[in-house]
Amino acid sequence: MTLMEEFTDAQLERYARHLVLPEIGEEGQERLMRASVLVIGAGGLGAPLLLYLAAAGIGRLGVVDDDEVDLSNLQRQVIHDTGAIGQAKVASAAARIAAVNPEVAVEVHRQRVTRANVARLIADYDLVADGSDNFATRYLVHDACYFARVPLVSAAIMRMDGQLATFKAHEGGENPCYRCVFGPQPAADPKQSCADVGVLASLPGVMGSLQATEVVKELLGIGESLSGRLLLYDAMGPTFRTIRTRRDPECVLCGKAPSIRSLQDADYGDGAPTCAA
């Protein structure tokens, strides 16, 4: 039996534009339908990311967020609507995903990512996509993915700017880790939150959509990976710029003599959200 014969008529129609792409086709779509992705954050970046991954047919999506939908979120967090105000973001996101593609299995994790739970959260997924809004969580999630040997696609936004990169230093070679690129974890600055400095409504749509594209590419092994490159977007330009990044042989995590050998060896500080990105 061919793959096309295994698809239902509804699936053939739903994924028709993927099936005719030589980069995806029948085998690629089946791989997406069998894949699992954990998304950290159901806010600005998580909103388009989750919607496009669901539309693409990712078989199982996990959503991690401990927050509730607030009126101020709706300026940019397009997975939620006015009727969802006061609801848990993970529940609101799950309902919207089901409306987009009821074939996608959604697992909700209404909790904050911590040192105690992060390994358990990521253990059962093929890939992690981080849309969190603070350095403590970004470093923690990255390090946990490194130790678990799980690829990470990470995006961040603020004001009019966005950045995106893929991290899989666990594969060795020239793949840098998050710490190679950004150095030591910076101290939290409460004055550098979206609530204080703002964020353009459409910016997370741009970066979250790009993040979804990189997730699909990594799952299928197609195109050029963003591992070893940092994509920067300036909405005011508008310009896209790609910076080549390199592995640091002295890196405290993935270098020749690492001092961080487990999550217990690093100080991640307070992982409380700084803004609902």
Side-chain angles (χ1 to χ4, degrees), residues 3-4 7 18-30:
L3 289 172
M4 288 290 283
F7 290 140
H18 270 181
L19 296 175
V20 298
L21 278 175
E23 296 85 355
I24 299 181
E26 304 163 21
E27 293 187 10
Q29 187 59 49
E30 185 183 42

Side-chain angles (χ1 to χ4, degrees), residues 36-215:
S36 58
V37 177
L38 180 68
V39 175
I40 310 295
L45 288 165
L49 174 60
L50 286 164
L51 290 175
Y52 274 114
L53 293 181
I58 303 301
R60 182 162 59 92
L61 289 174
V63 190
V64 185
D65 201 304
D66 71 336
D67 203 4
E68 296 180 351
V69 180
D70 182 83
L71 180 60
S72 67
N73 301 151
L74 303 186
Q75 168 250 13
R76 64 207 175 279
Q77 299 180 18
V78 295
I79 202 168
H80 312 298
D81 58 32
T82 303
I85 292 174
Q87 294 181 17
K89 285 186 178 179
V90 290
S92 172
R96 182 63 182 141
I97 291 169
V100 170
N101 190 346
E103 294 187 350
V104 175
V106 182
E107 297 170 347
V108 298
H109 307 277
R110 189 180 182 185
Q111 55 194 284
R112 180 172 298 165
V113 178
T114 67
R115 195 194 312 251
N117 67 17
V118 64
R120 173 180 53 80
L121 284 170
I122 70 176
D124 197 30
Y125 293 90
D126 298 323
L127 183 147
V128 174
D130 183 16
S132 62
D133 51 20
N134 63 90
F135 284 115
T137 302
R138 290 173 192 152
Y139 275 78
L140 175 61
V141 169
H142 167 267
D143 291 359
C145 286
Y146 175 79
F147 289 123
R149 303 184 63 82
V150 175
L152 170 69
V153 179
S154 177
I157 54 172
M158 187 168 285
R159 301 186 182 93
M160 303 284 189
D161 303 306
Q163 66 183 40
L164 175 65
T166 294
F167 297 99
K168 46 184 181 181
H170 58 273
E171 294 185 2
E174 296 302 316
N175 296 299
C177 78
Y178 193 94
R179 291 178 181 273
C180 292
V181 178
F182 296 105
Q185 179 182 321
D189 184 352
K191 294 183 179 180
Q192 288 297 309
S193 71
C194 293
D196 291 309
V197 302
V199 61
L200 180 67
S202 57
L203 180 63
V206 174
M207 300 309 300
S209 298
L210 289 170
Q211 191 176 13
T213 300
E214 295 307 312
V215 168

